[in-house]
Amino acid sequence: MAIRFNFFVGCRVGELVALKWTDIVNRNHLHICREEIKDSVRIDGTWKDVYTVVDHTKTNKDRIVPLAPDAVNILSEVRKVRGYLFDEEDFIFMRGENRITSRQVNYALEKACTSLGMTVKRSHKIRKTVASRLYAGDVPLDFIREMLGHAELSTTLGYIFNPLSEEETYNLITKAP
């Protein structure tokens, strides 16, 4: 459900897995204020990856992201699956008693792509898909930039691909003034 949810909000995967129920504002906005980081630590002579949550984002700026009705519905599904046995301070996306990690999200995405017979994609591609869909829906570029947490518009522009065919693009160009 975390992957489905992210197709509506476009979080960085570390932000996605660090979301808590308390981050939902007025039922239709999401306050993004923390992220998961990965550290490699030496334990008993071997290097191991350790995933921890820190109280800041990559850019050290909080942001508020609107929740589309489909995203709200996914959160409702998560609540139903979890039942009423959780605290509002809990992470939204859990596996049993533990918060899911960014590695688990990417593994699930890799597995889904493989089973569908398509090229394996990482979670970061979801952000590019979200940006492209918003742009194709005439959402202002500056809003998309803020939603994704980019400081520079040029970064956001690099995320957007042209969803139109070559013929559709040509037709638009020929009709332009």
Side-chain angles (χ1 to χ4, degrees), residues 24 28 37 41 70 72 86-87 91 93-94 96-97 100 109 112 127 135 137 145 154 157 161-162 167-168 173:
I24 300 169
N28 61 356
I37 58 169
V41 295
D70 287 339
V72 173
F86 67 91
D87 187 313
F91 294 99
F93 300 107
M94 305 276 286
E97 298 295 315
I100 63 170
L109 193 55
R127 286 172 56 79
Y135 182 72
R145 178 191 63 75
S154 59
L157 290 172
F161 63 88
N162 184 2
E167 183 180 341
E168 290 169 319
I173 291 171

Side-chain angles (χ1 to χ4, degrees), residues 13 30 56 69 73 78 82 93 104 108 120 124 143 168 173:
V13 68
L30 191 61
H56 62 78
N73 291 340
V78 172
R82 299 274 313 276
F93 300 107
Q104 289 168 322
V120 172
H124 198 72
F143 181 85
E168 290 169 319
I173 291 171

